[in-house]
Amino acid sequence: MGNVIDFLERAGRDASLRHGDGFGDALRDYELDDPQRAALAGRDADALRASLKQGVYLSTQMGEPFGPDHERAPELPPDDDGDAEPDDPPESDA
């Protein structure tokens, strides 16, 4: 796995490796398993993950949980005595 990461790091730093013959020449410089070499040569991310036995690839995007106009609930005062109840009720706007 380390050689794959080293290769990807090198390719990320050197734009000439991402285009033309430089990519294939650079692949030969690294000791890689045949499935890894084939995945890299074919630029197949799924095959590369499979050859590294990385399993399912998941990604999330965390953003504003509600729209910008959403009104948030008022914050409760801290629970200083540890009884799982707020120490003072929130002040009302009335």
Side-chain angles (χ1 to χ4, degrees), residues 30-63:
Y30 288 86
E31 220 176 283
L32 301 167
D33 295 339
D34 289 337
Q36 294 168 347
R37 189 176 309 280
L40 287 166
R43 299 168 195 255
D44 186 342
D46 291 331
L48 182 60
R49 269 193 292 280
S51 75
L52 296 172
K53 298 175 180 45
Q54 292 301 301
V56 177
Y57 179 73
L58 299 175
S59 176
T60 62
Q61 291 183 337
M62 304 299 285

